[in-house]
Amino acid sequence: MAEYVDIAYFLSKDLISKNSRDEIYEKISVTVETFIECDLVTVFMLNEDTEKINCVKYYENSEFIKKDFEVMVGEGLIGSVIENGESLISKNIKNDLSDIYYELEKQFSGMLSLLSVPIYAGSLVLGALNIYKRETYEFSEEEVKIAKFIAMLGGIFIYSLTLYENANLLYLRQKEESGKVANLLEVSKLVSSSLDIASVMDYSVKSLMNFTKTDTALVYFKDKSKNKFCYEFFDCKMTGCSIFGGNINCYTMTNFECQFIKCSAESKILYKCADCSFLKDTPLELFKGYMNPPSVVPDSFRLSDCSCLKNLISDYPSIYYYSQSNDKEGTETFYCMFKDIKKETFIGISIKTDKDFLGFIFLLSDKKMEYSLEAVDFMSDISSIISIAAYNVQVLNYIEDEHLETINSISEAIKTRDTYTGAHGGRLINYGALVAKKLGLSENEIKNVRYAAVLHDVGKIGIKDSILNKREKLTGEEYSEIKRHPEIGYSMLKKIKFLSHIANDVLHHQERYDGKGYPCGLVGDDIPVVSRIIAIIDAFDAMTTDRPYRKALPVKVALDELEKYSGTQFDPKVVNAFLNVLKIIEPIEPLVYDES
């Protein structure tokens, strides 16, 4: 069975540096053929100006063939998928299509069975990914899930490119609005290149504050730890319902009747959710406040606390004004929410995707501010980009979870060989992350330290138990065998795609700053910084932990040893950072300070 992390890696590894739609369509097609057995893959994209759907990629027998073929929205199976945003499966197209559409489809593909899934970007249906077989064939549930996953990732790349192109086109056409468009372009590029929601949020919010001339901003996100996705609460009686698979746009189904809340079929999902009693009780946590000077703001609140907030869950920002008489809609509610902040103007912008409400951005000003429709449009554009960034993070978090499961499995394997090494890795994660932050390393480097902390001794899996757990002093031959574990670990990790980038850090974690370490004898800054961090926290934890051949040393003795060998065995900068870190954290058991 295909692993989703492998699918994501295969699809995305060549697309980060690409800037052509055609390259994206082709990579989507090749990915499908790689992970789903099929005879033909096509990609159809919607032209919103004409409501025509064009075949942009036709991939058969590992070759791309040009096919000028189009249908209208709602025509045939593909037209229906794009119109309704729902997947369709036909194991026999001839039986499922009217004669006129079957002849059209036959002329185009000559295939008999079809799996068609929509390509989404947020709430927009961009097109359809279609997978064919020549003979009658019933696509499995797993194949459907894989197709949806590929279409989802493809949609992210297509939409990110579209955002960039649209912003660039605006820049060329509207130079007189260069400040606004340049901001939009920069935010779009940041979303396309950054995996860090905090960086995207900082730049986006500051751009909004500058554009709106507001002096305060507050960002609240829904607390995912206390909430499930909305669709997990539905009690739908429909046979074959796809809601629990993650598709929440059930209201498009014929004769839809939801058991959780009654919603009209013409309502968009987030508008009808604004009346949902579950959503009203959703806690939102403060992500970050942008205030000068700082003010007291609520760390959290619920939608039910603020009657007008449900009106903000829309595609456009809402603007409210506070007045003593409370004669304007919404002013009293906002004043109650932020009673300790005396502001005149409140702008509420929702952060959302088509499947979930994520949070709010509030912009506040001491003055009464008036905004044109174009200004509101710009705020809406920025919020859309932020929502795409949040959507990207959700997908990447899913992939990250898959990575962590793999790491945990490896960690468990280490524990079965050496109990000390297993527990030891857990302690090093804490030390390593704090030291890396103290040194000012990037988020990616901090993540590498965490991974390397768990896996630096993975090579001990290849060492004999009789040597690994020996209580007596090792012989020269046995010590030489132990010294092989960095190279064994390096060889193992190089074969795992998403861990190969830390293999070098694991290889060099036994190097010395003066060049007398192993396996390569690297000197000073030639040793990777992650390896230098691991070397120090590894040595400290080893000294302060019971080992088969000796009892733990007092913390003070271990710290004296680190200082003694700073500049020879250890990097002085990292030693200093570690000493500073130990002053502000509680030592992890079994560490005991010696007060004598």
Side-chain angles (χ1 to χ4, degrees):
M1 185 178 72
E3 294 290 339
Y4 287 91
V5 65
D6 292 331
I7 298 172
Y9 177 80
F10 185 90
L11 175 63
S12 62
K13 65 177 180 178
D14 298 323
L15 291 182
I16 299 299
S17 59
K18 305 297 185 183
N19 57 6
S20 159
R21 278 189 179 80
D22 218 42
E23 290 170 317
I24 296 174
Y25 301 150
E26 289 185 2
K27 194 58 188 289
I28 291 172
S29 303
V30 173
T31 303
V32 170
E33 185 192 54
T34 303
F35 292 95
I36 300 177
E37 186 176 343
C38 59
D39 297 315
L40 171 65
V41 180
T42 68
V43 178
F44 278 76
M45 297 300 291
L46 174 65
N47 184 329
E48 293 183 346
D49 294 333
T50 62
E51 288 201 336
K52 291 181 180 178
I53 305 168
N54 299 102
C55 177
V56 295
K57 199 53 58 179
Y58 189 101
Y59 187 60
E60 187 177 16
N61 298 326
S62 299
E63 290 184 0
F64 293 104
I65 303 168
K66 182 172 178 56
K67 287 272 187 176
D68 294 320
F69 189 84
E70 67 181 28
V71 295
M72 298 298 292
V73 173
E75 285 185 347
L77 294 177
I78 295 170
S80 177
V81 167
I82 292 177
E83 181 179 50
N84 298 321
E86 296 286 341
S87 302
L88 284 175
I89 305 172
S90 173
K91 64 179 181 181
N92 192 320
I93 298 173
K94 184 175 182 179
N95 292 342
D96 293 341
L97 285 174
S98 64
D99 289 342
I100 184 171
Y101 285 130
Y102 172 67
E103 288 302 318
L104 196 66
E105 176 71 36
K106 182 179 178 182
Q107 172 189 330
F108 167 64
S109 70
M111 300 289 166
L112 197 55
S113 51
L114 165 68
L115 164 60
S116 181
V117 297
I119 299 174
Y120 270 107
S123 59
L124 301 175
V125 179
L126 303 180
L129 172 62
N130 312 293
I131 305 164
Y132 293 88
K133 296 279 285 185
R134 288 193 177 87
E135 306 298 330
T136 299
Y137 179 79
E138 187 164 354
F139 288 92
S140 69
E141 183 179 346
E142 182 63 19
E143 288 172 325
V144 174
K145 287 181 179 178
I146 291 172
K148 287 182 177 180
F149 186 70
I150 293 171
M152 175 189 69
L153 291 181
I156 292 173
F157 280 103
I158 294 167
Y159 193 68
S160 294
L161 180 60
T162 302
L163 284 173
Y164 182 84
E165 289 176 340
N166 288 347
N168 194 45
L169 183 61
L170 283 171
Y171 184 80
L172 295 173
R173 290 181 177 177
Q174 304 176 29
K175 287 186 178 180
E176 67 277 8
E177 296 183 14
S178 58
K180 182 174 72 175
V181 178
N183 271 334
L184 186 59
L185 181 61
E186 285 302 314
V187 175
S188 299
K189 289 168 67 177
L190 183 60
V191 169
S192 300
S193 61
S194 176
L195 308 183
D196 180 13
I197 189 64
S199 299
V200 173
M201 193 59 64
D202 276 349
Y203 190 92
S204 303
V205 170
K206 288 173 183 176
S207 296
L208 283 170
M209 291 176 69
N210 182 62
F211 177 75
T212 57
K213 294 182 171 53
T214 49
D215 49 67
T216 298
L218 302 169
V219 180
Y220 287 86
F221 276 114
K222 190 166 74 171
D223 185 357
K224 283 290 184 185
S225 66
K226 300 175 184 175
N227 287 281
K228 296 181 180 179
F229 288 104
C230 297
Y231 56 77
E232 294 182 64
F233 288 85
F234 281 80
D235 182 21
C236 184
K237 307 301 182 186
M238 290 184 62
T239 303
C241 177
S242 62
I243 290 173
F244 288 96
N247 294 321
I248 196 169
N249 46 342
C250 48
Y251 55 90
T252 61
M253 299 178 184
T254 306
N255 300 321
F256 165 70
E257 185 175 349
C258 173
Q259 305 298 313
F260 183 62
I261 182 173
K262 307 298 182 183
C263 305
S264 57
E266 65 272 11
S267 299
K268 287 188 177 179
I269 185 64
L270 286 166
Y271 290 112
K272 70 180 184 180
C273 282
D275 293 321
C276 170
S277 57
F278 164 68
L279 184 59
K280 286 179 183 177
D281 202 42
T282 296
L284 289 103
E285 305 288 334
L286 181 65
F287 177 76
K288 189 169 184 181
Y290 303 79
M291 296 168 286
N292 189 22
S295 300
V296 178
V297 298
D299 291 328
S300 63
F301 63 88
R302 294 178 182 272
L303 289 178
S304 54
D305 297 335
C306 316
S307 59
C308 73
L309 285 184
K310 69 175 186 178
N311 298 323
L312 298 182
I313 306 176
S314 65
D315 294 328
Y316 280 90
S318 298
I319 302 170
Y320 296 84
Y321 303 98
Y322 170 71
S323 65
Q324 292 294 335
S325 60
N326 293 324
D327 58 355
K328 296 194 177 181
E329 180 186 357
T331 55
E332 183 178 4
T333 300
F334 275 100
Y335 177 64
C336 291
M337 264 185 61
F338 305 119
K339 60 180 182 298
D340 295 316
I341 304 179
K342 308 303 181 184
K343 297 293 178 181
E344 188 70 20
T345 302
F346 299 88
I347 304 171
I349 303 172
S350 62
I351 309 170
K352 61 186 178 60
T353 68
D354 65 312
K355 296 185 185 300
D356 203 14
F357 162 72
L358 303 174
F360 288 117
I361 299 172
F362 296 114
L363 304 173
L364 303 90
S365 175
D366 288 325
K367 302 175 182 178
K368 184 175 180 179
M369 310 295 294
E370 302 283 351
Y371 300 103
S372 66
L373 182 59
E374 288 184 352
V376 175
D377 283 341
F378 175 69
M379 290 185 240
S380 178
D381 289 340
I382 292 288
S383 67
S384 296
I385 294 171
I386 293 171
S387 297
I388 290 295
Y391 182 76
N392 288 353
V393 170
Q394 285 181 337
V395 174
L396 292 166
N397 283 345
Y398 168 80
I399 297 171
E400 186 75 10
D401 288 343
E402 294 289 322
H403 288 180
L404 290 174
E405 284 185 18
T406 303
I407 291 173
N408 287 335
S409 297
I410 297 173
S411 179
E412 288 299 318
I414 298 174
K415 286 181 185 179
T416 63
R417 296 298 315 285
D418 183 359
T419 304
Y420 162 74
T421 297
H424 166 71
R427 291 190 293 270
L428 263 58
I429 291 175
N430 183 50
Y431 291 143
L434 291 171
V435 171
K437 288 178 183 177
K438 192 71 176 177
L439 291 170
L441 301 189
S442 68
E443 286 299 321
N444 278 339
E445 288 173 313
I446 293 171
K447 183 168 69 174
N448 290 348
V449 170
R450 289 193 180 103
Y451 282 12
V454 178
L455 299 173
H456 71 285
D457 278 338
V458 68
K460 288 184 179 179
I461 290 176
I463 306 299
K464 296 176 182 177
D465 287 337
S466 58
I467 298 176
L468 201 60
N469 296 308
K470 185 176 180 180
R471 293 182 177 274
E472 298 81 23
K473 185 177 180 179
L474 297 176
T475 65
E477 184 179 346
E478 289 170 336
Y479 184 57
S480 295
E481 181 70 13
I482 281 282
K483 287 171 67 175
R484 290 181 56 240
H485 80 270
E487 295 172 273
I488 296 172
Y490 172 84
S491 299
M492 291 174 63
L493 296 177
K494 283 299 286 184
K495 297 173 183 177
I496 304 174
K497 291 176 183 176
F498 77 93
L499 293 175
S500 60
H501 64 288
I502 65 162
N504 214 42
D505 301 322
V506 169
L507 176 65
H508 297 297
H509 78 274
Q510 290 288 352
E511 304 285 359
R512 288 174 50 114
Y513 197 68
D514 59 8
K516 297 179 180 179
Y518 63 88
C520 300
L522 299 183
V523 180
D525 290 348
D526 288 342
I527 306 169
V529 65
V530 174
S531 304
R532 281 178 270 149
I533 293 173
I534 298 297
I536 290 171
I537 60 178
D538 187 25
F540 175 79
D541 194 66
M543 287 188 284
T544 54
T545 307
D546 287 337
R547 302 302 300 274
Y549 47 86
R550 61 150 176 80
K551 289 291 185 180
L553 299 176
V555 169
K556 186 177 184 305
V557 174
L559 295 179
D560 288 343
E561 286 292 297
L562 291 182
E563 289 184 306
K564 178 181 178 180
Y565 292 101
S566 176
T568 54
Q569 184 175 351
F570 306 117
D571 181 345
K573 297 191 297 294
V574 182
V575 170
N576 186 57
F578 181 61
L579 294 177
N580 286 327
V581 161
L582 277 190
K583 292 176 183 177
I584 60 173
I585 64 171
E586 286 291 331
I588 299 174
E589 293 296 338
L591 306 189
V592 178
Y593 283 98
D594 182 1
E595 301 293 345
S596 60

